[in-house]
């Protein structure tokens, strides 16, 4: 999930909101409703190596069909399991899907060591925040969360900062929030239980801030939060060095996982009941198989999609420089590879792209778009955009608007440029005033909204296969995603559809979602 502060025309945020809870828990949460057959199977059939988390029996609140972004976690009942072990931890995640998935692995590591996950920091011995520092606002939010413990931290409680802010600020965090005792970046998560053990043994402050690892963070056990879509990291870190971005500093250099290890994890996920995976990487398509097989990214995509039982393979985020025809050909050839590509452009002006060190021009990017639009299968395209980069002229901004018109994105995440520590763009001149950034963002988001209204309206009457992920309290109302990653809210008289694939005819469209009716009664499969 992209951090949403500055996000205008969102394309897909509801799924992550639907599935943010952890397991096992000891407090809170109403209900404890029965899981669907499929999910019960997932939990009962627990394999060593992957722990599928508690499942969610969805219920969109009234009105959510019209506004899926308003989906509210409190509306959902959750199945619970409690394991009687000593030591409790609370883990809150900020930021992107990479962070969400890192948290799943961190939780898995701690659960494997006998810790128990709790829902409230008040009842936790160890409180962990997995943080984001991609924009200033995200970092501020975390410091304000940490501030809540200034006077309330209990004797012996461990408060830890993980992730990008930890890596970026390092020991400075101890200065700003002296009640924090652990600071650990993503490249050191493997050592986390040892670091916590040292604190519990009496050390007052511990850091894990190495980035010089060539390992990826593979765990014995992953505690999966999302019952429908499993995240699988295939490449960590980033070597691209975009001039505005902290990721190369906070996540270290690119490290790809061996293809055999990725495929083994996917097979385990299928055994567990998953039919959809999202292959993750900051630049997922820069994947370089370190094993002797030397699989290309497009080959790995096809191999994952061909694992028996796998029905949907997604991947995110693609870097335009490494986006070749072979990826489009794989999507054309293998129907289980979803027809959606997230291809961040950032700016429509070659001059700004050069200043951003994005390594492609406007024209080269538009060639990729033409290639995607010319594919034999219709492919949805979404993007990320930054407005107000230093030196961005009105003309440059207009080029971004015109690129959006040409590209006709199906969704876009748009952000005001945020100056970040250590990045080359921090020293660039001609900063754009905040009000001007806001003005540009407003224009851009309104333009993109119009594009989405028009593009979605064209889908009325079409039939899509939907993986059903949510159930409304209102009778016969369900929600799920299409292969092209659109949210589709639909009606069906069926009693149980969660986790099923259903054919749905689109009857209406808004800028961010579709509505429809299941065809043939929508029994699902
Ligand atoms: N690796 C992906 C790529 O190359 O596009 C993106 C990763 S980044 C976590 C997600 C998005 O945050 C970027 O695509 C960019 O639009 C935005 N972003 C990154 N740094 C930013 C900054 N300093 N200010 C505003 N937006 C930023
Ligand atoms: Fe950041 Fe650029 Fe790497 Fe994406 S490709 S993570 S924007 S440095």
């Amino acid at each position: 999930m992209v951090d949403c502060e500055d996000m205008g025309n969102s394309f897909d945020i509801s799924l992550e909101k639907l599935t943010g809870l952890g397991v096992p828990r000891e407090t809170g949460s109403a209900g404890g409703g029965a899981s669907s057959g499929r999910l019960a199977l997932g939990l009962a059939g627990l394999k060593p190596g992957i722990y599928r988390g508690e499942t969610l029996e969805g219920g969109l609140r009234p009105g959510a069909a019209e506004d899926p972004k308003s989906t509210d976690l409190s509306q959902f009942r959750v199945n619970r399991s409690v394991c009687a072990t000593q030591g409790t931890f609370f883990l809150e995640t900020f930021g992107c899907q990479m962070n969400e998935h890192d948290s799943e692995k961190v939780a898995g590591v701690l659960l494997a060591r006998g810790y128990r996950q709790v829902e409230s920091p008040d009842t936790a011995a160890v409180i962990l925040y997995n943080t984001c520092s991609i924009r200033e606002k995200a970092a501020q939010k975390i410091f304000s969360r940490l501030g809540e413990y200034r006077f309330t931290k209990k004797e012996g409680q461990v408060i830890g900062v993980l992730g990008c802010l930890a890596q970026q600020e390092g020991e400075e965090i101890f200065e700003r929030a002296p009640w924090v005792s652990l600071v650990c970046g993503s490249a050191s998560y493997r050592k986390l239980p040892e670091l916590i053990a040292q604190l519990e043994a009496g050390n007052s402050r511990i850091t894990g801030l190495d980035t010089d690892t060539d390992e990826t963070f593979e765990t014995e056990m992953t505690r999966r939060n999302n019952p429908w879509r499993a995240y699988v990291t295939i490449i960590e870190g980033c070597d691209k060095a975009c001039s505005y971005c902290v990721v190369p500093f906070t996540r270290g250099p690119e490290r790809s996982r061996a293809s055999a290890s990725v495929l083994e994890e996917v097979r385990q996920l299928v055994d567990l009941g998953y039919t959809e995976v999202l292959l993750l990487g900051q630049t997922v398509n820069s994947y370089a198989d370190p094993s002797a097989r030397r699989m290309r990214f497009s080959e790995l995509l096809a191999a994952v999609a061909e694992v028996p039982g796998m029905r949907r393979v997604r991947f995110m985020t693609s870097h335009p420089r490494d986006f070749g025809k072979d990826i489009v050909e794989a999507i054309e050839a293998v129907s289980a590879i979803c027809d959606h590509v997230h291809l961040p452009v950032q700016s429509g002006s070659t001059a700004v792209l050069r200043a951003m060190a994005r390594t492609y021009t406007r024209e080269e990017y538009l060639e990729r778009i033409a290639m995607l639009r010319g594919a034999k299968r219709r492919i949805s395209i979404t993007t990320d955009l930054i407005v107000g980069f230093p030196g961005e002229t009105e003309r440059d901004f207009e080029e971004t608007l015109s690129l959006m018109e040409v590209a006709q994105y199906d969704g876009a995440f748009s952000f005001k440029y945020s100056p970040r520590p250590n990045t080359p763009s921090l020293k660039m001149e001609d900063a754009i005033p905040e009000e001007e950034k806001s003005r540009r963002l407003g224009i851009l988001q309104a333009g993109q909204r119009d594009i989405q209204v028009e593009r979605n309206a064209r889908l009325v009457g079409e039939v899509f296969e939907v993986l059903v992920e949510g159930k409304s309290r209102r009778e016969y109302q369900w929600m799920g995603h299409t292969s092209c990653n659109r949210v589709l809210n639909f009606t069906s008289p069926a009693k149980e559809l969660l986790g099923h694939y259903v054919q749905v005819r689109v009857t209406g469209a808004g800028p961010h979602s579709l509505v429809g009716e299941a065809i043939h009664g929508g029994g699902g499969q």
Side-chain angles (χ1 to χ4, degrees), residues 207-221:
T207 56
L209 295 169
D210 303 341
T211 50
D212 57 351
T213 175
D214 53 6
E215 288 176 5
T216 51
F217 178 40
E218 293 183 46
T219 58
E220 301 255 305
M221 182 158 126

Side-chain angles (χ1 to χ4, degrees), residues 134-135 244 282 344 346 358 384 386 415-416 418 420:
I134 198 84
R135 284 168 292 278
Y244 52 83
Q282 289 296 343
Q346 314 300 357
R358 284 293 288 181
D384 292 348
I386 296 176
F415 310 98
K416 290 190 273 186
S418 170
R420 305 307 294 130

Side-chain angles (χ1 to χ4, degrees), residues 253-297:
E254 271 172 22
R255 288 102 65 203
S256 293
R257 261 175 87 183
S259 50
S261 158
V262 173
L263 289 166
E264 180 51 30
E265 184 174 350
V266 171
R267 279 190 282 270
Q268 287 183 356
L269 288 165
V270 170
D271 285 353
L272 205 52
Y274 280 100
T275 57
E276 176 171 322
V277 291
L278 171 60
L279 304 184
L280 283 176
Q282 289 296 343
T283 53
V284 73
N285 58 327
S286 307
Y287 174 80
D289 186 358
S291 72
R293 281 169 95 174
R294 295 273 176 256
M295 267 191 169
R296 298 171 78 184
F297 171 66

Side-chain angles (χ1 to χ4, degrees), residues 492-511:
S492 163
K495 284 216 166 56
E496 188 50 83
L497 285 180
L498 287 175
H500 289 258
Y501 288 85
V502 174
Q503 300 294 319
V504 179
R505 188 180 307 285
V506 177
T507 55

Side-chain angles (χ1 to χ4, degrees), residues 135-380:
R135 284 168 292 278
E136 173 65 20
K137 261 198 214 165
Q140 279 168 359
K141 202 152 106 188
I142 291 146
F143 277 114
S144 108
R145 182 71 99 252
L146 290 174
E148 292 167 17
Y149 297 99
R150 186 185 197 111
F151 304 111
T152 59
K153 185 186 163 197
K154 297 188 188 109
E155 182 70 36
Q157 215 171 24
V158 170
I159 299 181
V161 179
L162 313 181
C164 293
L165 189 70
Q167 197 68 53
Q168 180 188 293
E169 301 288 321
E171 298 191 5
E172 290 278 308
I173 292 179
F174 296 138
E175 304 298 316
R176 283 184 70 171
W179 49 95
V180 170
S181 46
L182 170 70
V183 172
C184 180
S186 62
S188 306
Y189 289 161
R190 194 180 289 281
K191 296 190 224 147
L192 205 50
E194 285 68 37
L195 301 179
I196 294 174
Q198 286 179 44
L199 289 168
E200 287 175 342
N203 273 340
S204 57
R205 280 178 179 172
I206 297 280
T207 56
L209 295 169
D210 303 341
T211 50
D212 57 351
T213 175
D214 53 6
E215 288 176 5
T216 51
F217 178 40
E218 293 183 46
T219 58
E220 301 255 305
M221 182 158 126
T222 301
R223 180 247 174 272
R224 305 259 166 201
N225 289 340
N226 187 323
W228 319 114
R229 184 184 285 185
Y231 299 153
V232 177
T233 308
I234 65 164
I235 173 171
E236 287 178 7
C238 183
D239 286 346
K240 299 290 185 292
C242 300
S243 63
Y244 52 83
C245 185
V246 290
V247 169
F249 308 97
T250 59
R251 288 191 165 268
E254 271 172 22
R255 288 102 65 203
S256 293
R257 261 175 87 183
S259 50
S261 158
V262 173
L263 289 166
E264 180 51 30
E265 184 174 350
V266 171
R267 279 190 282 270
Q268 287 183 356
L269 288 165
V270 170
D271 285 353
L272 205 52
Y274 280 100
T275 57
E276 176 171 322
V277 291
L278 171 60
L279 304 184
L280 283 176
Q282 289 296 343
T283 53
V284 73
N285 58 327
S286 307
Y287 174 80
D289 186 358
S291 72
R293 281 169 95 174
R294 295 273 176 256
M295 267 191 169
R296 298 171 78 184
F297 171 66
S298 54
E299 291 168 335
L300 180 65
L301 259 186
V304 168
E306 279 156 7
V307 167
M310 185 47 63
R311 291 184 64 160
R312 283 186 171 182
V313 182
R314 302 185 182 278
F315 55 101
M316 184 172 260
T317 295
S318 295
H319 192 285
R321 193 198 70 184
D322 298 334
F323 200 90
K325 181 95 180 105
D326 58 321
I327 302 174
V328 179
E329 285 166 353
I331 298 174
E332 286 173 337
V334 186
S335 61
I337 303 176
C338 289
D339 44 18
H340 169 221
V341 170
H342 187 64
L343 197 66
V345 63
Q346 314 300 357
S347 169
S349 151
T350 296
V352 174
L353 289 171
R354 198 173 301 126
M356 288 176 164
R358 284 293 288 181
T359 69
Y360 52 84
T361 62
R362 171 190 173 96
E363 289 68 32
E364 285 162 348
Y365 181 86
L366 285 174
E367 281 167 21
R368 309 287 192 278
I369 295 292
M371 182 170 76
L372 282 160
R373 292 285 179 224
K376 292 185 195 125
R377 239 173 114 192
R378 184 174 56 191
I379 298 173
S380 271

